[in-house]
Amino acid sequence: MSTISISPTTPVAPAATAAAPPTRRKQTVRTFHLKKQQGEPITMLTAYDYATALAVDRAGIDSILVGDSLGMVVLGYDTTLPVTMADMLHHCRAVARGAQYALLIGDMPFMSYQVSVPEAVRNAGRFLQEAGMDAVKLEGGRERVEVVKAIVDAGIPVMGHLGLTPQSVHQLGGFRTQARTATAAQRLLEDALLLQEAGCFSLVLEAIPEQLARFVSQRLDIATIGIGAGVGCDGQVLVTHDLLGLFDRFTPKFARQYAHLHQVMAEAFAAYKEDVQQRRFPGPEHSTEMSAAEWQTLLANL
Ligand code: KIV
């Protein structure tokens, strides 16, 4: 039988796949506040399905984001815009079944919070009530203050998202680094302060200059989670498909690949194909025999 081996760039510690230690506690928004206070980096990854959520949770990652990036990396769209509430709730439920300890954050999809405040509150509530999430994330700055306040008033923790906000890709003219001018950087800082005042428990800072992300993180009491924003944020998030190297097509400049699973999958599929064609799979260990007596009875009856 052909076999394949996984060669991650960074060795995987056996503890990463072991069962969770019994003392581990469910992470909450307080974890974010405490880690920020203690200067301890917060870890966050995306997950969109049960198996990945299980593995991310067992690795001890603080928080799982069910990002609307699933539209691109799981569903194959060019942008996140086609993703619906139904898509998000479906994937959030799968993640909630797999993760026991991480703080679970559901990403509000395009048009689920922009139309009206009551609709936004109702949609945010569905992530907690129907899909097992602990919090929601939404994109935008000062224009979202009213909606953030209303969702927080309903008892739902909200994570903000500034910088490259993919749901505005057409307005931004593409997936490009944001806030590179002094004016844009000042506006981003003002937005961050307004979102904090509105009640966000944390902010994602995506694709902005390193020194700006560090400055904003120092000015805020709430934790910032960076992606393509340098090491000065209070925590980091990556899209798990980028980290695992699940695509050979495109990896964002800011993502580090810790494995090359696209290659591993290609080798495994080719090995399977070869085994089937050569009748090496299934082997006796994968098959079941009828007892000789039953077989003889069958033949006799035919
Ligand atoms: O949708 C997503 O995965 C995100 C992260 C990239 C922050 O918003």
Side-chain angles (χ1 to χ4, degrees):
M1 187 184 76
S2 313
T3 55
I4 49 122
S5 63
I6 300 174
S7 325
T9 20
T10 301
V12 178
T17 52
T23 53
R24 219 171 136 200
R25 290 222 191 116
K26 168 75 184 171
Q27 306 300 301
T28 69
V29 295
R30 281 196 69 232
T31 313
F32 277 48
H33 297 314
L34 290 174
K35 286 204 163 188
K36 165 130 186 158
Q37 276 168 14
Q38 290 160 2
E40 200 184 320
I42 298 160
T43 54
M44 182 157 115
L45 282 176
T46 64
Y48 317 105
D49 62 79
Y50 172 78
T52 310
L54 205 62
V56 170
D57 202 47
R58 283 182 178 170
I61 298 293
D62 294 315
S63 178
I64 295 179
L65 171 67
V66 187
D68 64 351
S69 50
L70 70 85
M72 297 174 78
V73 300
V74 176
L75 303 178
Y77 297 128
D78 288 338
T79 70
T80 57
L81 303 185
V83 177
T84 63
M85 275 297 293
D87 293 331
M88 289 308 303
L89 296 177
H90 175 75
H91 287 273
C92 285
R93 283 187 205 106
V95 167
R97 285 191 285 269
Q100 220 184 322
Y101 298 105
L103 176 74
L104 303 181
I105 303 172
D107 213 359
M108 296 194 70
F110 184 54
M111 284 297 125
S112 69
Y113 57 94
Q114 291 91 340
V115 177
S116 75
V117 171
E119 200 174 318
V121 175
R122 208 167 297 120
N123 281 327
R126 295 187 69 194
F127 279 89
L128 276 66
Q129 197 166 42
E130 299 175 32
M133 295 292 103
D134 304 313
V136 297
K137 176 172 86 58
L138 53 81
E139 298 179 6
R142 60 199 69 198
E143 69 283 8
R144 301 287 169 244
V145 161
E146 201 192 342
V147 113
V148 168
K149 277 187 183 157
I151 298 174
V152 172
D153 281 350
I156 301 166
V158 179
M159 170 177 257
H161 185 156
L162 292 173
L164 171 51
T165 44
Q167 291 174 16
S168 309
V169 60
H170 297 308
Q171 203 169 40
L172 301 177
F175 295 101
R176 54 181 68 245
T177 305
Q178 298 297 306
R180 298 176 82 157
T181 65
T183 311
Q186 183 173 340
R187 187 177 167 86
L188 187 140
L189 172 63
E190 288 166 5
D191 281 347
L193 290 164
L194 286 168
L195 288 173
Q196 170 173 271
E197 206 179 302
C200 281
F201 74 93
S202 175
L203 289 186
V204 166
L205 298 177
E206 179 165 354
I208 64 170
E210 204 271 340
Q211 67 269 58
L212 174 62
R214 185 185 295 279
F215 187 73
V216 170
S217 305
Q218 285 164 356
R219 289 289 298 273
L220 292 180
D221 297 324
I222 59 173
T224 60
I225 306 295
I227 174 162
V231 77
C233 295
D234 301 305
Q236 296 293 327
V237 59
L238 276 181
V239 170
T240 294
H241 285 54
D242 294 336
L243 175 155
L244 293 176
L246 267 165
F247 294 118
D248 65 348
R249 274 184 312 158
F250 170 74
T251 306
K253 175 178 170 281
F254 52 71
R256 180 178 288 168
Q257 284 192 354
Y258 287 83
H260 303 288
L261 289 200
H262 176 81
Q263 198 185 324
V264 172
M265 288 197 310
E267 286 170 14
F269 299 150
Y272 164 74
K273 179 180 162 207
E274 182 73 12
D275 279 354
V276 170
Q277 287 175 335
Q278 299 301 322
R279 300 197 186 282
R280 289 191 301 247
F281 177 82
E285 71 276 29
H286 306 115
S287 310
T288 312
E289 293 281 328
M290 270 170 86
S291 72
E294 288 298 328
W295 185 244
Q296 289 311 322
T297 307
L298 172 68
L299 294 182
N301 289 344
L302 290 178

